[in-house]
Amino acid sequence: METTAEMNSLSHRIGIGNDIHRLVAGRKLILGGVEIPYDKGLLGHSDADSLSHAITDALLGAAGLGDIGTHFSDKDPRWKNADSQMFLQAVCQMLAERGWRIVNIDATILAERPKMMPHIPAMKETLAATMNIEAAQLNLKAKTNEGLDAIGRGEAIGAQAIALLEKA
Ligand code: MG
């Protein structure tokens, strides 16, 4: 597997995504495109939806298309407070144009609080609709960091994702 042509002939490719945003007062908490009632929200140029950003990066990685910052710069005023579902949808469009179909995505939210489990079904529904896939193709999990590091102290919420694509 040495040439671009050989890479392009692959029928399946995987990608990984990782993201974290700081929790601050005075911001809405948006994860997976869902607003979660909480006294803090994630700080960032866009809506700072770390789960959606991790998934977006996993998809871009699988397709060999760089990362979210390359396509949606955090210096670009167009993306100030942007809905991250827009980024995810745009990336899915890029994949479709290149003949890639999403097989499945697995993602983990890393958050000490608030409790994520009650919001997982709505996140799955929202993200699946954005990506135009079945909810069953997306597995979402949430865990705490056992009180360790910035996430464990409730100062940030992170997410990890992995995605598998196949040639349509
Ligand atoms: Mg981010």
Side-chain angles (χ1 to χ4, degrees), residues 41-58:
L42 294 172
L43 181 64
H45 185 64
S46 65
D47 64 6
D49 180 340
S50 49
L51 174 60
S52 296
H53 292 179
I55 292 172
T56 303
D57 257 353

Side-chain angles (χ1 to χ4, degrees), residues 18 42 62 109 131 148 165 167:
N18 187 55
L42 294 172
I109 302 163
M131 294 185 277
L148 297 165
L165 303 180
K167 273 280 146 122

